[in-house]
Amino acid sequence: MSNSQQLLKVIDSHTEGEPTRVVISGGPDLGSGSLHERRQRFKDTSDEFRRTVILEPRGSDALVGALLCEPVDKSCVAGVIFFNNAGYLGMCGHGTIGVAVTLAYLGKIGLGTHRLETPVGVVEVQLIDANQVAIENVPSYRTLHRVNVEVDGLGTVVGDVAWGGNWFFLAEHSPYPLTLGNVRALTDAAEKVRAALRNNGITGTDGGEIDHVEFFGAGQAADADSRNYVYCPGGAYDRSPCGTGTSAKLACLAASGKLQPGEQWVQESIIGSRFTGSYRLDAEGHIIPRVVGRAFICGESVLIQQPADPFRHGIVGEVSA
């Protein structure tokens, strides 16, 4: 990025409490090629842009960015690359819902089903109304069941490893009650679990790093099947129930025979918001999750970078939950 003043137009939304910032104009030119290749080019050549959009003083640790791109697959209404305070994501469920509502707000799509291209594959979004969206995610699956991990200060933690667009460790039980008052303790515990997984060489397929950790407990609402806490790669917790995390949970439930195709699973977040999940099997028997949630537009603004601003590329080095 040059040292001249930069103007970046963005639209902010939240999906069940979790913020998404969609870049409308002023983003880097990533050229052509697959979304996977362009995401790598983003990382290699334009990481200052990610930091500018996400980090304080313009953003926050909980924020997820979405850069709209020209899709390779012409059946898609857009391509999208998701990024956060720590780096780049393969998929983002809450972010996809936010992107769909943002595109509708801009008049780019109407009610009905549309396709979005991501670095890990094409996902379908059904715009049910101005705020409610159903996403049909990439195929999701469990790779490891009931893994025992010795964690400093927590003892033996048991959980599954699953893919829902990102890699997750889904612990069977939470070390603390799932309340907002315990967020710091839950975050510290999740960081210890993630470190233990890394130190023990426990990964996803092809060595994929497990960078998300989920703790589960009973739902607080009478009609909720479960309540969760989700640790995200940059150290923040997900205010929503997490779309890719819910997809991973559905894959685990399906693999254990605890949820049948078409059955609904209501996943409650630590702030009480919810996603409704279900799945179908494709022709090859893969689990295709469907996650329904709501997003709301919060703001439409222009981010400004002035050349003399010492924090024009964000405040680097501080990560908080």
Side-chain angles (χ1 to χ4, degrees):
M1 301 177 72
S2 71
N3 287 327
S4 61
Q5 181 166 291
Q6 300 288 317
L7 304 179
L8 315 173
K9 184 177 180 181
V10 301
I11 294 180
D12 289 340
S13 64
H14 78 82
T15 303
E16 304 297 349
E18 182 75 354
T20 305
R21 174 167 286 171
V22 179
V23 179
I24 302 303
S25 66
D29 181 2
L30 301 179
S32 59
S34 70
L35 267 291
H36 178 79
E37 292 169 331
R38 279 182 272 175
R39 179 182 63 175
Q40 188 61 43
R41 197 173 298 132
F42 193 169
K43 178 180 179 180
D44 292 342
T45 67
S46 302
D47 196 58
E48 285 182 345
F49 180 85
R50 175 191 65 82
R51 300 198 302 268
T52 297
V53 172
I54 294 297
L55 300 185
E56 294 181 14
R58 297 170 189 83
S60 71
D61 287 341
L63 184 62
V64 169
L67 179 66
L68 298 180
C69 307
E70 186 69 24
V72 176
D73 186 332
K74 297 307 179 184
S75 71
C76 296
V77 295
V80 59
I81 298 173
F82 293 106
F83 51 98
N84 67 2
N85 62 333
Y88 301 84
L89 302 170
M91 232 300 277
C92 180
H94 95 267
T96 299
I97 293 173
V99 167
V101 166
T102 298
L103 290 174
Y105 172 79
L106 292 170
K108 303 291 187 182
I109 63 172
L111 300 182
T113 301
H114 310 276
R115 289 160 61 86
L116 288 172
E117 190 171 6
T118 79
V120 297
V122 173
V123 298
E124 287 194 349
V125 296
Q126 180 190 3
L127 187 66
I128 299 170
D129 58 36
N131 301 108
Q132 189 173 33
V133 175
I135 63 171
E136 192 164 85
N137 200 2
V138 295
S140 300
Y141 52 92
R142 182 175 71 187
T143 58
L144 297 172
H145 181 43
R146 302 204 82 242
V147 177
N148 292 339
V149 186
E150 292 300 319
V151 180
D152 183 36
L154 300 178
T156 303
V157 177
V158 181
D160 292 352
V161 174
W163 169 261
N166 297 296
W167 282 111
F168 287 82
F169 180 82
L170 302 94
E172 288 186 351
H173 303 290
S174 176
Y176 305 101
L178 295 174
T179 64
L180 282 173
N182 286 330
V183 160
R184 170 46 61 192
L186 290 163
T187 300
D188 290 345
E191 288 174 346
K192 290 178 180 179
V193 170
R194 182 181 176 187
L197 293 167
R198 186 187 303 114
N199 292 339
N200 284 277
I202 300 170
T203 69
T205 303
D206 298 326
E209 183 182 2
I210 302 167
D211 54 7
H212 290 71
V213 176
E214 288 195 72
F215 297 133
F216 292 91
Q220 289 191 4
D223 59 344
D225 292 290
S226 174
R227 188 176 182 93
N228 69 3
Y229 161 91
V230 183
Y231 173 89
C232 300
Y237 71 94
D238 200 324
R239 278 69 172 164
S240 82
C242 187
T244 54
T246 298
S247 297
K249 179 67 173 181
L250 294 171
C252 293
L253 291 167
S256 294
K258 296 180 178 178
L259 192 73
Q260 299 304 309
E263 284 189 68
Q264 291 192 342
W265 177 268
V266 177
Q267 185 62 63
E268 190 178 63
S269 78
I270 195 167
I271 69 168
S273 59
R274 59 177 57 196
F275 287 152
T276 300
S278 60
Y279 73 93
R280 65 176 176 87
L281 300 176
D282 67 9
E284 289 75 38
H286 300 135
I287 294 164
I288 309 297
R290 185 176 191 267
V291 178
V292 182
R294 300 169 304 160
F296 298 87
I297 301 298
C298 299
E300 184 172 0
S301 60
V302 175
L303 306 182
I304 299 172
Q305 288 180 295
Q306 295 186 322
D309 182 356
F311 303 116
R312 62 186 180 277
H313 300 312
I315 301 171
V316 180
E318 290 296 323
V319 175
S320 63

